[in-house]
Amino acid sequence: MILLLARLVQIQLFETESFSKRNINLLEESVMQRVHAVSIHDGRGSFVDRTGKHLVDDVHGSVVLFPFLKYVDWPVEQLAHILDISPQHIMLQLTQKPVILKQNGKVLQLSAKQVEDINHLKVPGVVAVYAKTGGAVTADHLIGITGQNDTQVRARYGNKIQEGVISPHTPIGISGLQRAFDEFLVTSGESKLLYHVDRTGEPMFGKTVKYSSTANPFYPLVIRTTLDKELQQLAEKVVDDSGMKKGGLVLLDVQSGEILAMVSKPSLATYSQHAYTRGAKNQMLSAHIPGSVFKTVVAAAAIDKRKTSGAFNCDQDLYGEGPPEHEMGMLTFKESFAQSCNYTFAKIASELIKEDEDVLERYAKMLGLSQTVGWKGNVFHFTEFKQFPEEEARQIWKEQSDKHINKAIAQTAIGQKNVRVSPLAVANMMATIARGGQTIEVTAVKEIQYKNGAVMHAFPVHEVQSQLSQRVMEQLQQLLRSVVTSSKGTGKRYQSLPVTVAGKSGTAETGNDDYVNRWFAGYFPYEAPRYALVSVELYTNEVDNLAGKVFADYVEAIANKGM
């Protein structure tokens, strides 16, 4: 009896929160033994577009059914009538645990009236709630995915685990904005339906189902993005309809540098970790070979250094050693840009680098083609916070010695060799040119909001005044416009669009003779620029130029909607 009494004292008084070598919290375990829970919302923060529309369609009206309904008489016909399904369908889903009613394998989504009507029935064991059940995601790559990583959770949120707010199995951000803003999004407490069970685990009939949620009216937080949901969905439709397998598009607001739409292919299965680990990354943030799009940088330097006079023999190949694949004759600098003559830009780049070997890096930066272009800065206690932690840096030269090798200079001048830039950076370059040279860091998030809509933190605009003269910017704008207006321009297909377009095409060799990267980057309307758009198809051997088609179709779709 003394030993038994000592054991009870140990359990009840001294080791109630840390019993045995496994440090078991007996108080929590005893509650869990008699009270079970149905999670209806994990408490993680959400994403909305610039106008407040939800980008992740995952909270719906749902009906929860408790297992004792199998053994009692209840008005299942009335519930079936409200849901417009058969009573048999409802009864077949009842199990030994509470379930959220499904139809055709998916959670049955209820209207606000259905939620009200079901709860008005006041049937014990039938509860209609707004639950987080998963759903369609707009801008899946940009928003990103969540997943479980016990080690990371313990390292980053040990205090929350100790406080009992989260468990080591709580999902955290793995990619995209889910990853960048994880510290703000991580749950502050679940919303649950609680019910008592008997010793066999069966729900106790007659006990009230209770709703448990965090009492904090400010959480979970809301991330207000810069996206326009209508433009984003329109972009996704255009890219899907084109049949593009790898690539995508980026649409920026010229004046603010905000992302309005972003699509990356292949698509990311948002609720599957495997899609991310198998390489379905955001191609719009990844650095790729740009091809002739990079000639825009050489053109800016040539205009500023006054290297544009005279005629260029475009019946020579890139190195001036023989005929090119397509002979173009003697062309002016403007004609060379419109028709994308490689020899002209190889020759000019060679002259520029002889005078200043860092000339391409400097002019790329002045055009907004910086190492990275996404917003970065201090946010609360986070130093150098990045909205795009996965953005890959720009590269122009891999080896400094290449600046003294003529063939390496020629290849670099036309965006080949080791040149790598992301579509996001190219879009920022076009936006910079369109607004006259002012460089702005690209943003995807406008502000972090409390649950009640109050602003927790707003992201300020990070801008740099132009270092290029008005003369340079005006001539650069005219060059980009000539690509479309010229009868032999590489962008002449856009002449028939309902708005005026300026831009530059690019076809980049990938190292495999059969596969290329195809680009078109530009802005519109030309007279009063509003949008900067980049469309790119990566590593393709298709005859059709899908990048050009996507650019044209999206511009036309935006114009037709009057947006």
Side-chain angles (χ1 to χ4, degrees), residues 14 83 90-91 97 134 146 150 184 237 247 272 296 303 341 346 352 377 403 415 433 462 529:
F14 296 112
L83 298 176
I90 296 173
M91 295 301 295
K97 294 182 179 180
T146 60
D150 293 13
F184 300 100
K237 184 179 186 305
S272 169
T296 308
I303 295 169
C341 170
L352 289 168
K403 296 179 179 181
I433 295 169
H462 287 174

Side-chain angles (χ1 to χ4, degrees), residues 102-173:
K102 295 183 178 181
Q103 187 174 31
N104 299 324
K106 297 181 179 179
V107 173
L108 190 62
Q109 299 177 12
L110 312 183
S111 67
K113 187 176 187 308
Q114 286 176 314
V115 170
E116 182 182 355
D117 290 346
I118 291 170
N119 288 331
H120 187 69
L121 294 175
K122 296 182 179 179
V123 176
V126 178
V127 184
V129 293
Y130 287 95
K132 190 172 184 179
T133 57
V137 178
T138 304
D140 58 355
H141 274 282
L142 182 60
I143 298 300
I145 61 174
T146 60
Q148 292 183 356
N149 187 321
D150 293 13
T151 303
Q152 283 294 314
V153 174
R154 292 181 189 277
R156 289 156 62 177
Y157 305 116
N159 59 327
K160 285 181 177 285
I161 294 175
Q162 290 180 352
E163 294 168 3
V165 176
I166 64 174
S167 79
H169 310 302
T170 297
I172 58 174

Side-chain angles (χ1 to χ4, degrees), residues 203-470:
M204 295 174 64
F205 181 75
K207 294 294 183 181
T208 304
V209 176
K210 295 181 179 180
Y211 176 77
S212 172
S213 180
T214 175
N216 194 329
F218 299 106
Y219 290 84
L221 298 175
V222 176
I223 307 299
R224 184 179 167 223
T225 70
T226 62
L227 293 176
D228 183 301
K229 189 172 184 178
E230 188 174 356
L231 284 172
Q232 176 66 34
Q233 291 177 334
L234 188 62
E236 291 176 3
K237 184 179 186 305
V238 167
V239 175
D240 286 343
D241 290 348
S242 74
M244 184 182 289
K245 295 178 181 178
K246 187 174 183 178
L249 65 78
V250 181
L251 182 72
L252 297 186
D253 182 295
V254 165
Q255 299 307 317
S256 66
E258 296 174 344
I259 295 177
L260 298 173
M262 178 182 283
V263 180
S264 175
K265 290 291 183 180
S267 295
L268 183 64
T270 307
Y271 292 99
S272 169
Q273 272 186 283
H274 301 298
Y276 184 68
T277 56
R278 289 172 184 169
K281 61 182 180 178
N282 191 340
Q283 301 296 342
M284 300 303 99
L285 301 181
S286 303
H288 308 286
I289 308 170
S292 294
V293 170
F294 190 73
K295 291 174 183 175
T296 308
V297 174
V298 180
I303 295 169
D304 199 30
K305 299 294 184 180
R306 301 184 186 277
K307 301 283 187 183
T308 62
S309 60
F312 300 86
N313 185 2
C314 291
D315 283 341
Q316 297 186 73
D317 66 10
L318 175 64
Y319 310 115
E321 297 176 348
E325 186 176 348
H326 301 290
E327 294 184 352
M328 302 177 187
M330 298 297 292
L331 301 180
T332 64
F333 175 73
K334 185 175 182 179
E335 290 170 337
S336 295
F337 190 86
Q339 298 180 43
S340 205
C341 170
N342 289 336
Y343 173 75
T344 300
F345 290 88
K347 185 175 186 299
I348 291 175
S350 179
E351 294 177 9
L352 289 168
I353 290 171
K354 285 178 182 177
E355 298 175 4
D356 176 7
E357 66 176 25
D358 296 326
V359 64
L360 297 184
E361 295 98 306
R362 289 195 301 105
Y363 279 86
K365 184 177 181 179
M366 284 189 281
L367 290 177
L369 206 64
S370 305
Q371 286 292 328
T372 58
V373 301
W375 194 98
K376 49 190 173 292
N378 297 331
V379 179
F380 298 117
H381 62 280
F382 302 104
T383 57
E384 282 301 295
F385 179 90
K386 295 180 180 180
Q387 289 197 6
F388 307 97
E390 296 156 309
E391 182 189 1
E392 294 180 1
R394 174 213 73 197
Q395 176 180 282
I396 297 178
W397 307 95
K398 190 173 183 180
E399 304 289 344
Q400 286 294 107
S401 58
D402 283 347
K403 296 179 179 181
H404 307 286
I405 301 172
N406 288 332
K407 288 192 174 181
I409 293 172
Q411 292 169 18
T412 302
I414 64 168
Q416 292 286 165
K417 188 66 174 171
N418 295 311
V419 182
R420 301 290 186 276
V421 293
S422 70
L424 181 69
V426 174
N428 191 49
M429 177 175 71
M430 288 297 162
T432 300
I433 295 169
R435 58 178 168 257
Q438 186 182 46
T439 302
I440 300 176
E441 284 185 349
V442 178
T443 53
V445 173
K446 295 175 76 71
E447 58 193 25
I448 305 170
Q449 298 177 340
Y450 290 110
K451 182 180 178 180
N452 62 4
V455 177
M456 178 186 191
H457 179 80
F459 290 87
V461 175
H462 287 174
E463 59 183 49
V464 179
Q465 293 300 318
S466 174
Q467 296 175 283
L468 290 171
S469 68
Q470 185 176 356

Side-chain angles (χ1 to χ4, degrees), residues 38-196:
V38 180
S39 178
I40 60 175
H41 196 296
D42 61 8
R44 188 172 177 83
S46 58
F47 293 90
V48 298
D49 81 344
R50 62 199 301 115
T51 64
K53 298 175 184 175
H54 281 275
L55 293 172
V56 183
D57 184 26
D58 59 355
V59 178
H60 311 285
S62 304
V63 59
V64 181
L65 303 176
F66 287 80
F68 61 77
L69 292 169
K70 291 192 299 183
Y71 311 112
V72 299
D73 291 328
W74 62 284
V76 63
E77 292 81 7
Q78 293 183 37
L79 177 61
H81 177 72
I82 293 171
L83 298 176
D84 194 25
I85 58 178
S86 70
Q88 293 77 14
H89 179 79
I90 296 173
M91 295 301 295
L92 285 172
Q93 293 196 44
L94 294 176
T95 65
Q96 296 302 312
K97 294 182 179 180
V99 295
I100 296 179
L101 194 62
K102 295 183 178 181
Q103 187 174 31
N104 299 324
K106 297 181 179 179
V107 173
L108 190 62
Q109 299 177 12
L110 312 183
S111 67
K113 187 176 187 308
Q114 286 176 314
V115 170
E116 182 182 355
D117 290 346
I118 291 170
N119 288 331
H120 187 69
L121 294 175
K122 296 182 179 179
V123 176
V126 178
V127 184
V129 293
Y130 287 95
K132 190 172 184 179
T133 57
V137 178
T138 304
D140 58 355
H141 274 282
L142 182 60
I143 298 300
I145 61 174
T146 60
Q148 292 183 356
N149 187 321
D150 293 13
T151 303
Q152 283 294 314
V153 174
R154 292 181 189 277
R156 289 156 62 177
Y157 305 116
N159 59 327
K160 285 181 177 285
I161 294 175
Q162 290 180 352
E163 294 168 3
V165 176
I166 64 174
S167 79
H169 310 302
T170 297
I172 58 174
I174 292 177
S175 69
L177 298 180
Q178 292 278 18
R179 171 185 168 188
F181 288 84
D182 191 59
E183 283 79 1
F184 300 100
L185 293 165
V186 70
T187 182
S188 56
E190 284 185 283
S191 295
K192 298 176 283 189
L193 291 178
L194 305 176
Y195 62 99
H196 289 76

